[in-house]
Amino acid sequence: MNSSLSRDSQVKIMEGTVNNAEKYLGQFCLLLASYTRKNARLRDKVDLLIKQIMDFANTENPEMRRCLKDFGEEMSKIQDYRQAEVERLDAKVIGPLKEYGRLTKSKRGDIKKFNSVRNREMKELENLQKLKQRNPSDRQGISLAEANVQKASVDVNHTTHQLEEIIFKFQQQKLKDIKAIFSNFVTVEMIFHSKALEMYTNAFQHLNNFDEEKDMAAFRSKICISEFENDARPSQSHSSSSLQPSPGSQLRTPPRVLHAHFQEDESDDEEEEEDEVEELQDLSDDGYQQYAKIRK
Amino acid sequence: MNSSLSRDSQVKIMEGTVNNAEKYLGQFCLLLASYTRKNARLRDKVDLLIKQIMDFANTENPEMRRCLKDFGEEMSKIQDYRQAEVERLDAKVIGPLKEYGRLTKSKRGDIKKFNSVRNREMKELENLQKLKQRNPSDRQGISLAEANVQKASVDVNHTTHQLEEIIFKFQQQKLKDIKAIFSNFVTVEMIFHSKALEMYTNAFQHLNNFDEEKDMAAFRSKICISEFENDARPSQSHSSSSLQPSPGSQLRTPPRVLHAHFQEDESDDEEEEEDEVEELQDLSDDGYQQYAKIRK
């Protein structure tokens, strides 16, 4: 029975190899798909932020407007790279990992086939034992049973060779694939991070170029009419017209209450989390609650 | 009435400045808090992935085991930097933005105060008009009413000056803060991206160093007993013992079905999205469904 024991161990190792591949590569697939999806949501969230930055830019004076729009455009480019990251992760990481579902299923089939061949050998061995016990003088029957055992053993040997070959190749391919898939992952991430770094460098420059003095001069000319009033209160039609908000300005539209944007924000993001909805309700009571949940 | 009209415009611009700051900085705060939270979830997701990589490493032969552990450690360092990113965003971006809730509320109070002073002036002007119509010969009454108008006008002028100063300073601070907050955001992101780039470079190197041949030799010695069997089938106790999985190997533990990990995965991440739960149910039917939702 040593042969059976060692073969038991051998098959268990093979089964373990296939089962662990199925389990862990399945987990990698699941978690990396979730990681990719969360990145897509980050992108959506920043897209919403950019939209608000652009809208806000339109309410500001030319200097700040330009600064915010340049900043927003760099942010937007980063989201394009994030989108490329999401697509590449899907094609070069999730796709190949998904293949392992099909692959491990097929290998399990091979092991099952082997087990049935081996069970036949065990059965033939049992038959032989029984025959020897019950009818030790039946030479012909015993010979036949021994021949059957021999045949089944040959089958098992043959199938063992085949299975070893199959599992060996499977493991070889698995090692190559794991290396390739994680290398793909790292490469995709590196491209994204280096591009993001480049765009953020530009974004920082745009913020740095902002001329506050110039912007404040424009603002002063808009809101400070008191000098005119003191000097020439009777005739003010010119200053009155200069106070009209510029076209595209949203100064005259009644500001929507915060709660309204939150609802809009939410309908835009169909995958918003439940807890976020609760937070938004809190926000309607106090627009500036603590809503950044971070690690304890 | 020109004076009133231009003052109307002036106050509307001031109100617009405060309301837009409240609205948009509130939105920035909300969206960046959500962005930060989503980054924290990305970190959690990669933490789970690392856990699985480490568990998987323990089921593999020494070469792959070392490769995966080195890879996992670099990934883990990136999550530490992501954690620092989350904390910095909270302190340097979300915190200062939250301040604007309190600030804009106080500015709205100033505008309200100004409006009540201006309304008193309007009322005094109305009184004077009525008196002039009803009793044009009441010189004394008209004089008194004119004095009241004069006094109210002086108050309005004074409050106008004050309000201009307040809103001017508010705008100046707002411009400085927006520049500083977005610069902080960019700096925090740049630090994270550059650190991630560094760690991914190391991770790539670890994957590149993996010696597949050596690992396969170890695997072959584990699973290939058929050579022994063919040559020396009767005595195999040595190969049998060599087939025992090494300590720490999980080969003998029955592999948990995928569905079970998915549930575990979910309970780990208390903020998981509803749609993900649905996907997980699909996965229990077919472990490798298409579950990467990406942008259309």
Side-chain angles (χ1 to χ4, degrees), chain A residues 7 10 27 34 37 41 45 47 60 98 164 174 193 223 226 229 261 273 290-291 295, chain B residues 7 10 27 34 37 41 47 60 98 164 174 193 223 226 229 261 273 290-291 295:
Chain A
R7 206 166 262 147
Q10 182 193 26
Q27 280 290 309
S34 175
R37 219 159 39 234
R41 281 184 205 145
K45 205 45 85 174
D47 279 348
E60 285 291 320
K98 251 186 288 185
E164 279 172 9
K174 189 191 80 181
H193 287 297
I223 69 151
S226 51
E229 283 188 359
H261 325 315
E273 302 78 356
Q290 167 75 35
Y291 37 75
R295 191 180 251 183
Chain B
R7 207 167 261 147
Q10 183 194 26
Q27 279 289 308
S34 174
R37 218 159 41 234
R41 280 183 206 146
D47 280 347
E60 286 290 321
K98 253 186 288 187
E164 279 171 11
K174 189 191 79 181
H193 287 297
I223 69 152
S226 52
E229 285 190 357
H261 325 317
E273 302 79 357
Q290 167 73 38
Y291 37 75
R295 190 181 251 181

Side-chain angles (χ1 to χ4, degrees), chain A residues 129-175:
Chain A
Q129 301 294 339
K130 275 183 196 161
L131 201 63
K132 276 179 174 171
Q133 276 181 339
R134 269 185 279 159
N135 215 348
S137 57
D138 180 5
R139 302 297 303 164
Q140 203 183 355
I142 289 174
S143 279
L144 187 67
E146 277 174 345
N148 285 345
V149 167
Q150 186 66 22
K151 194 177 165 293
S153 288
V154 170
D155 276 1
V156 166
N157 268 348
H158 179 66
T159 321
T160 303
H161 271 298
Q162 277 186 326
L163 190 65
E164 279 172 9
E165 190 65 20
I166 287 169
I167 300 298
F168 188 81
K169 278 189 180 159
F170 170 76
Q171 174 76 356
Q172 199 166 36
Q173 191 59 45
K174 189 191 80 181
L175 295 181

Side-chain angles (χ1 to χ4, degrees), chain A residues 85-134:
Chain A
E85 177 201 12
V86 164
E87 284 168 11
R88 283 177 191 144
L89 287 178
D90 194 56
K92 296 184 166 193
V93 177
I94 324 269
L97 279 171
K98 251 186 288 185
E99 277 303 296
Y100 270 82
R102 194 187 47 72
L103 205 59
T104 50
K105 202 174 167 186
S106 131
K107 299 310 156 202
R108 265 219 311 264
D110 292 326
I111 292 173
K112 202 173 163 188
K113 211 173 94 190
F114 169 79
N115 279 334
S116 79
V117 171
R118 204 168 62 99
N119 286 342
R120 213 178 46 237
E121 185 199 27
M122 301 289 273
K123 222 166 139 188
E124 298 293 352
L125 265 171
E126 249 175 59
N127 281 345
L128 177 63
Q129 301 294 339
K130 275 183 196 161
L131 201 63
K132 276 179 174 171
Q133 276 181 339
R134 269 185 279 159

Side-chain angles (χ1 to χ4, degrees), chain B residues 83-204:
Chain B
Q83 173 58 17
E85 177 200 12
V86 164
E87 284 169 10
R88 284 177 191 144
L89 286 177
D90 193 56
K92 296 185 166 193
V93 176
I94 323 270
L97 279 172
K98 253 186 288 187
E99 277 301 295
Y100 271 81
R102 194 188 47 74
L103 204 61
T104 50
K105 202 174 168 186
S106 131
K107 298 310 153 200
R108 266 219 310 263
D110 292 327
I111 292 173
K112 202 173 163 187
K113 209 174 95 190
F114 168 80
N115 279 334
S116 80
V117 171
R118 202 168 63 99
N119 286 342
R120 210 176 51 237
E121 186 199 29
M122 300 290 274
K123 221 166 140 187
E124 296 295 351
L125 264 170
E126 249 174 58
N127 280 346
L128 177 63
Q129 299 296 340
K130 274 185 197 161
L131 199 63
K132 277 181 175 171
Q133 274 181 342
R134 270 186 276 161
N135 216 348
S137 57
D138 180 4
R139 301 298 302 166
Q140 204 182 357
I142 288 173
S143 279
L144 187 67
E146 277 174 347
N148 285 343
V149 167
Q150 187 65 22
K151 192 176 166 294
S153 286
V154 168
D155 275 0
V156 166
N157 268 346
H158 179 67
T159 320
T160 302
H161 272 296
Q162 277 187 326
L163 190 64
E164 279 171 11
E165 190 64 21
I166 287 169
I167 299 298
F168 188 81
K169 277 188 180 160
F170 170 76
Q171 174 76 356
Q172 201 165 34
Q173 191 59 47
K174 189 191 79 181
L175 295 182
K176 266 192 218 301
D177 285 344
I178 286 173
K179 181 178 168 173
I181 289 168
F182 282 139
S183 295
N184 285 348
F185 172 78
V186 170
T187 308
V188 169
E189 292 296 282
M190 282 175 83
I191 292 171
F192 171 65
H193 287 297
S194 71
K195 285 293 177 188
L197 208 49
E198 196 183 320
M199 299 305 123
Y200 276 127
T201 309
N202 298 342
F204 194 85

Side-chain angles (χ1 to χ4, degrees), chain B residues 5-39:
Chain B
L5 263 181
S6 65
R7 207 167 261 147
D8 266 354
S9 304
Q10 183 194 26
V11 173
K12 276 205 172 109
I13 290 174
M14 291 187 189
E15 276 176 340
T17 299
V18 172
N19 287 338
N20 282 325
E22 183 178 42
K23 172 185 168 182
Y24 289 108
L25 273 70
Q27 279 289 308
F28 298 164
C29 185
L30 186 81
L31 290 167
L32 283 164
S34 174
Y35 172 83
T36 305
R37 218 159 41 234
K38 284 187 192 309
N39 262 305

